[in-house]
Structure formats: C-alpha cells, structure tokens
Amino acid sequence: MGEVSKRRLLCLLVGLAGLSLAWAQQNIVFDSGRIRSLRLIVGEDPLLPPVIRLNGTQGMELSFDVMTHVPERLIYHIFHCDYQWKRDGSESIFESDYLSGNNGRPIDDYETSFNTNQNYTHYRLRLPNQDVRILLSGNYAIEVFREDDYEGEQSKHPLLRAEFCVVEPGMSIQAEVSGNTDVDFNQSHQQLSFNVQYGNLRVVNPEREVHTVVRQNRRQDNALVNLQPNQRMATGAAFTHRKELIFRGSNEYHKFETIDLHRPTLGVENMRWFAPYYHATLVADVPQRTYSYDEDQNGASVLRNAEYDDVHITSEYLWVHFTLRSPQPLPGGDVYVCGLWTNGTWDPECRMEYDSAAGEYRASVLLKQGYYSYQLRQRMPDNTGSTLLTDGDFHETENEYTIYIYYRAQGERYDRLVGYRTLNANQ
C-alpha cells in the first residue's frame, strides 16, 4: 500500500471513530431453544424491509414457532421508540398518543405443525388489527411475553422482540452510490452520497432536530448514525464526499434451498436422515479473491417446501451444515454465518468453529425448510463485520443502501420518521 493510500485509510478510520455505530433495527430471540423462525413481513412480500407508511394500506405479519405442540397463551405489547431504538417513557409520550385500541392482547392465531418430525406451534399476529392501530410515525418494537410474565409496560422478560418503522413522508431524499470513492477507484469500496430536502417541515436547529441513519443490506453492525452533513442550506442538507459513507463492497451473498428433503437442491451437496432430524450439508465455501455476479437477496430468506401449500405448519426443521475451507485460521476475528434470518449479526449459534485437522471452519444451524441467503463475516475487534478474508470486497457488488431521516421539532416529544429511501448499487 502506498503512502497516499495509507493516509487516506487513516483518515477514514479516524472519521469513523467519532461516529456512532450503535443504532440497530433487528429481531431478537431471547429463548432460542424454544422460539424459532421469527420474522416480520410487510404485506405478502417476505423480501421487503419492515417499514410501512403511516395510514397506508399495507399491513404486517409477525410470525414465529414455539417448539412444542402444547399451545401457550402469549401476550404482545407494542412500544414506541426513539431514533436509537430506546423505548419512549411515559415522560415523553403516552401509549394513547401512538396507539388506538388495546395493547397487551393475546395472540389468538396459532396452529400446531402437521405431519412433521419435530412438533411446533406456529403463531401469527397481523397489524393493524381489530384491537390496535398505529397513530404516529417512528420506530416501534413488538415484544411477546408468556401470560404469567406480562406486567404491562413494566414487563421485563420477553420471549422475543421484533422491530419495525412507520414513515410519514415529509422530507425527500436524492441519493446515488458509486464505485469511484475517496479511498479507491472501482476496487473494493462503494461510496454513498445523498441530499435531504426539508420540504414544508420547519427546521430551526438541524443538529438537534434532524437525525440520519444509513444502513447497508439492513445490517446493524456497520450502521451509521447521526452523520453530520458537509453542507447545510435553509431548505436541506447535503452529504457528499464523506469518508464515513464509504462502505466495503463485500461480495454477493451465498444461497441455498432446502425445499426438498429427498434430494439435494440449490447449494446443497447432500441431504441425509439421522433420526430425529434431516441434515443438509451445503457445498463448501472457499475464500473469494475475484468477483462473480450471482443474483441474491442480500441476507433474506423465504420459508417454503416442495410438497405442501401451507408451508408454515408443514415444513420440517433440519440441521444445515456450513463449511468454509481455509488451510489456516483467518487472522482478525471469529467467523460467523450472517443473514437477516440470524436475528442480529453475531448469533452464537452461527459462530463457526475451526477444525485444524480438516483445515476448515464449520457451523451447524437448525433451520426451517426454505430459501436462505447468507454471508461469512469475521467479527472484528470494533464489533463490525468484515468479509475481506472470507468473501472478499468488490465495488461491483449489488448492495442495498437505506437512508432514514428522523425529525423532532422544538417542543415535540418523539422522533418522527419523515424520510426513507432505499437504493441499490450496480442496478
């Protein structure tokens, strides 16, 4: 690396050191031994991000499995959160401000699995519903409790937490992504630039009233929070040539399907039965040194099987075995299997163990039948993920970038989500 490149890299790291990376929108399972396949779907499309429009026509469905055939009485509670996903306390806004109807209701829509080797009960909750309707924009969290653990807003032991956003468009966003970055030219990075127009919203003190969040492929480990613009105008702000908005390109996600239990399908080397589970061994991955285009879904997954229509109660759970071949352990950090379906980047179940005798990393994850896309990332000391030594970094990669603009005017008691834009690099 030349001296100029070293200085540029140092400037980039210094810039990132002063920027908050703590923002996270994600699903969390607190009892992974009993709760599986948590997902939050907008409309009928499992690939859409969990964002709906205030007073819009699209709804959402929260679903998950409890690994037993004995249904439990489960209670859901919806909380409004600030832009950093912290609950808004009663000193800011009341439940009656952001919800119409009754919070803390039971989930009555559930079915037990049919003709599967592992028993489970599938729960579904649709929002809005006859009991509750959302009144304000912003960030929201749904938490699910056992009835005996539920104590209203003071409940402390949820089984799971799912997060979503409600947007009221008020600010417009123009954005673009380029491989021509302030670090390199069409090599391993992508740089995002965007402009925000305030529209009819009155912004007096933008540093206090407007908060920006940027995510790559909906990841939470490298989300950028409260990035300040390099240019402010009375009508908006510009974020151009910011080193903080340079992202490593990564590579296209790997993918596999386990829709057929009797023969290998996409990405599966072999399918076997060892009672009481099916086992799918995936085609082994190897560290990538060149870019190769392959259409993927950037970490998303879709539940399905080849035999039945009602996939939610007829799909099997099986062990999926991941392998990364590497003659030596990779320096820098542990390797994890990562996707939107891992409910947070560093799921302990998805940490790969290194087998020195075989010269490979391995992980086995219990998953429901379906289509899955994933990356192999190293967990770095700063808790961000790196694909440099696993999948490589390339400017050609098709990555999804999402920009969120939050606004809290002087005197207001909550953060409104007033701007939302998703765009894809190299599309």
Side-chain angles (χ1 to χ4, degrees), residues 54-101:
L54 184 64
N55 300 320
T57 58
Q58 275 191 322
M60 296 180 300
E61 181 179 281
L62 172 73
S63 65
F64 57 92
D65 295 336
V66 179
M67 304 304 289
T68 175
H69 254 189
V70 181
E72 299 181 60
R73 187 171 173 85
L74 303 180
I75 308 297
Y76 72 91
H77 197 108
I78 301 174
F79 300 91
H80 194 279
C81 304
D82 67 12
Y83 77 96
Q84 298 183 88
W85 294 100
K86 299 175 183 176
R87 286 190 195 174
D88 283 326
S90 57
E91 69 278 1
S92 54
I93 60 174
F94 298 100
E95 184 179 291
S96 57
D97 292 325
Y98 61 86
L99 286 184
S100 172

Side-chain angles (χ1 to χ4, degrees), residues 1-11 183-184 187:
M1 181 183 292
E3 289 302 317
V4 174
S5 297
K6 288 181 180 178
R7 287 196 296 270
R8 286 178 175 175
L9 181 57
L10 178 61
C11 290
V183 172
D184 54 29
Q187 293 185 30

Side-chain angles (χ1 to χ4, degrees), residues 248 286-289 324-326 328-333 335 361 376-378 380 386-393:
R248 287 193 170 276
V286 295
Q288 299 297 306
R289 296 292 177 262
L324 172 64
R325 290 177 178 159
S326 177
Q328 301 293 330
L330 300 178
V335 179
Y361 287 87
L376 301 176
R377 300 181 199 142
Q378 285 186 275
M380 307 308 288
S386 172
T387 59
L388 177 63
L389 300 181
T390 54
D391 291 327
D393 287 307

